[in-house]
Amino acid sequence: MSRQALEELKQQIPLLDYLQAHDWRPARRLSRGRLMGLCPLHCDHKPSFLVDPGKSLFYCYGCGRGGDVIRFAELYHQVRFPQALSLLHQWCGLAPLLHQAAGFYRMQLHRYGEAVGYLLQRGVRSPELIEHMRIGYAPGGCLRSWLMQLGYSLQALRQAGLVTAVGYDAYTRRIVFPLEGNLYGRSLSPSAPPHRFLPGAKGGLYNWEQVRRYPEVILVEGLFDYAVLWQAGFYNVTCSLGNHLNARQFQQLCDGPRTVYLAFDSDANGSGQTAAQRMSRLLGAQGVSTRRVLLPDGHDPNSFLVQGADARQFQHLVETARP
Ligand SMILES: [Zn+2]
């Protein structure tokens, strides 16, 4: 890649935009427009990450690392220079495309009785919740033509993973939840794999920007767990999309003083609780206090609430959670 192409890429992606899209927020403003906040590259407890938006450069007084947006992408995603470039290129084109796809799926939701029926079966009832999570439905077979009408090339759709190599919509009969930089699709059909993501990272913790300010946070495995808890008035809930944390999610939970309530599945093989114990040790080593919420056997937060428990009963489990 030529020097000029590198400069163009950097101009397309101001460092501050990229940082903000990855949940970074300044803690205070300094002279000449510079900003100071927690470092996203190490487990930081007092703001030591300096950003100069005018020059699109950063420097961390804690871990001593600094540079431009490409250097940041290398360190943040732990990849080499060429991979960092391709991630940044993808990021430029992907965000608007996923936004369009998610908008299309949202328009479909109420046109398909099977989709609404499935949501009801999983306890998702309130229009505010559907709006809050921007829930959509992928019937299959019509996203491609919609996006191509909007001017996207078939190649771009394939690269994003929205369309398969042979040209079909990748998501068929799936409830779709937009994530940051991805779309999660839950299958309605018992013969298809239940959980799917588009290629690429699943991103950070769900709705973290809103949740991070609570001193007590409830962490669940799945978005349907998140959904019913949010609907029941637990706004301090977040979701890791699986029972292990990626590096980014781990760093997010460590970004300030808080207690994390791990409300993982109480499944027969014990995998949810084993994962919760392991996570609790790892977070404890970083000074984050955790409690394990014990659900009745065979339940996850979704099934617990769907099968008749109310907010007060879940709150009781939270209050009696074990260290
Ligand atoms: Zn740092």
Side-chain angles (χ1 to χ4, degrees):
M1 204 177 182
S2 71
R3 192 177 176 80
Q4 193 197 343
L6 283 180
E7 286 309 316
E8 278 171 14
L9 178 67
K10 287 199 264 179
Q11 268 174 18
Q12 272 185 327
I13 311 177
L15 175 65
L16 185 59
D17 288 4
Y18 193 72
L19 289 170
Q20 286 175 335
H22 290 82
D23 280 346
W24 187 80
R25 295 291 176 269
R28 61 176 192 271
R29 293 174 188 279
L30 309 177
S31 61
R32 286 173 279 136
R34 294 169 308 157
L35 305 164
M36 195 67 138
L38 292 173
C39 176
L41 305 172
H42 78 277
C43 210
D44 199 5
H45 299 291
K46 62 175 190 359
S48 47
F49 188 79
L50 176 72
V51 177
D52 188 330
K55 295 181 180 155
S56 264
L57 293 172
F58 71 95
Y59 180 76
C60 175
Y61 291 95
C63 59
R65 292 178 290 187
D68 58 16
V69 68
I70 304 174
R71 181 70 184 138
F72 180 80
E74 281 183 285
L75 294 167
Y76 187 76
H77 300 288
Q78 298 176 357
V79 294
R80 291 173 189 277
F81 188 76
Q83 283 94 44
L85 290 185
S86 79
L87 283 174
L88 290 170
H89 273 295
Q90 267 176 25
W91 188 81
C92 278
L94 194 61
L97 175 56
L98 293 186
H99 183 76
Q100 292 289 355
F104 174 80
Y105 289 144
R106 288 176 72 185
M107 286 189 290
Q108 307 308 310
L109 183 67
H110 291 285
R111 296 182 182 167
Y112 291 85
E114 58 175 7
V116 177
Y118 181 80
L119 290 182
L120 287 174
Q121 183 199 322
R122 301 297 304 270
V124 174
R125 289 181 308 271
S126 103
E128 291 76 25
L129 173 64
I130 292 171
E131 180 65 27
H132 164 70
M133 296 185 81
R134 295 175 291 143
I135 302 175
Y137 181 60
C142 44
L143 176 74
R144 171 185 155 172
S145 53
W146 168 265
L147 290 174
M148 288 182 72
Q149 264 175 32
L150 292 177
Y152 289 98
S153 70
L154 185 55
Q155 196 204 358
L157 304 187
R158 281 202 191 111
Q159 267 177 4
L162 290 166
V163 166
T164 64
V166 286
Y168 293 118
D169 283 14
Y171 284 2
T172 298
R173 297 190 67 218
R174 283 177 189 274
I175 300 287
V176 177
F177 295 87
L179 308 173
E180 148 211 295
N182 210 319
L183 298 174
Y184 164 75
R186 174 64 168 89
S187 179
L188 260 56
S189 152
S191 57
H195 313 288
R196 274 199 59 188
F197 295 89
L198 298 177
K202 65 182 175 182
L205 292 167
Y206 192 79
N207 197 31
W208 184 242
E209 264 319 295
Q210 260 78 59
V211 174
R212 63 184 297 181
R213 52 200 166 86
Y214 291 97
E216 298 187 328
V217 164
I218 301 169
L219 177 68
V220 297
E221 289 183 37
L223 285 175
F224 281 100
D225 300 323
Y226 174 97
V228 292
L229 286 176
W230 193 90
Q231 191 174 249
F234 295 91
Y235 301 124
N236 58 336
V237 61
T238 186
C239 171
S240 48
L241 300 140
N243 64 22
H244 73 277
L245 300 173
N246 62 28
R248 167 105 187 288
Q249 296 172 332
F250 187 78
Q251 194 270 329
Q252 288 174 321
L253 284 180
C254 297
D255 74 2
R258 63 174 60 88
T259 302
V260 182
Y261 290 84
L262 305 168
F264 283 8
D265 301 3
S266 189
D267 30 22
N269 62 12
S271 64
Q273 287 309 310
T274 309
Q277 280 169 11
R278 189 176 57 233
M279 197 178 290
S280 164
R281 279 195 302 274
L282 291 170
L283 288 167
Q286 295 295 327
V288 178
S289 74
T290 55
R291 299 267 189 286
R292 282 183 299 122
V293 176
L294 297 179
L295 289 149
D297 280 350
H299 277 290
D300 57 28
N302 182 269
S303 64
F304 185 61
L305 276 100
V306 167
Q307 291 187 14
D310 59 17
R312 200 178 43 79
Q313 284 166 300
F314 188 80
Q315 180 61 31
H316 177 72
L317 294 184
V318 169
E319 282 164 8
T320 54
R322 296 201 192 147

